[in-house]
Amino acid sequence: MPINRQSLKEDGFTGFRTLAALDINRIPQRTGIFAVLQPAGYEPRFLPRSTAGVFKKKDPSVPEPALTAEWVDGADVVYLGKAGAGSKGNRGLRRQIQEFIDFGKGKPPGHWDGRLIWQLADPGSLLVAWKELPAEAVIEAEAAYHARFRDDYGRLPFANLVQARVKGK
């Protein structure tokens, strides 16, 4: 079964809230992975400029032909990300997703993973879902979901520009 809303639910993902209506305090603080999905009937429209924050003095905007080329027709999932514990052990899903949303509102990020999301005309209608995992399983799980998506669609989700990999594998 391809990675979609139903298969993610069956795999233990919860949430499935729109970015616009998300109550950040309902997201667990533990480590895990998360997915951003398009709602049923979603038609992508691209903004000429990203709403995302500048990263290392680089504009996150991408030309429309590049955005169109990254879009994966027929895929529910538009981004798959991870939320590790961080070097101080104080990260996790809540903080990672909050920073992801803040990035879309123009705040400077610590990285710019998923930046293409913020060039969609209506990112608030996208859904976010998450799955708690032990910290030691997060990287491997993200890599496995990326590989599975690539097997299903021949490429990574729209806003994943880099394949996650487990070191040494």
Side-chain angles (χ1 to χ4, degrees):
M1 173 183 258
I3 295 178
N4 57 32
R5 186 175 179 160
Q6 185 61 39
S7 68
L8 291 175
K9 280 183 180 181
E10 290 171 5
D11 284 350
F13 279 76
T14 60
F16 297 93
R17 306 281 191 269
T18 65
L19 289 173
L22 186 64
D23 178 355
I24 202 70
N25 292 318
R26 291 193 169 272
I27 299 172
Q29 294 181 2
R30 293 185 185 94
T31 57
I33 55 178
F34 67 100
V36 179
L37 303 95
Q38 59 177 307
Y42 187 81
E43 291 293 328
R45 290 180 297 113
F46 304 113
L47 300 172
R49 297 200 45 85
S50 177
T51 63
V54 172
F55 178 70
K56 295 184 179 180
K57 299 182 182 179
K58 290 175 25 182
D59 183 345
S61 300
V62 174
E64 187 171 339
L67 294 167
T68 302
E70 291 298 331
W71 190 258
V72 183
D73 286 325
D76 288 356
V77 174
V78 295
Y79 179 70
L80 288 162
K82 70 178 180 307
S87 61
K88 297 178 183 173
N90 62 349
R91 296 202 52 80
L93 287 161
R94 182 181 300 171
R95 188 160 174 197
Q96 184 69 33
I97 292 170
Q98 181 65 65
E99 288 177 2
F100 178 73
I101 292 168
D102 289 346
F103 174 39
K105 293 178 180 177
K107 292 186 180 176
H111 57 81
W112 66 356
D113 295 346
R115 72 183 182 274
L116 300 186
I117 295 290
W118 309 115
Q119 213 164 329
L120 289 168
D122 186 17
S125 69
L126 298 174
L127 305 167
V128 65
W130 53 87
K131 179 179 180 177
E132 292 179 63
L133 292 167
E136 62 275 7
V138 169
I139 293 171
E140 192 168 325
E142 181 191 34
Y145 274 98
H146 282 188
R148 184 171 156 200
F149 190 95
R150 184 171 241 151
D151 287 347
D152 292 342
Y153 297 98
R155 55 194 303 173
L156 291 171
F158 167 69
N160 287 103
L161 302 178
V162 177
Q163 169 88 39
R165 299 194 191 285
V166 177
K167 289 181 183 174
K169 288 191 178 183

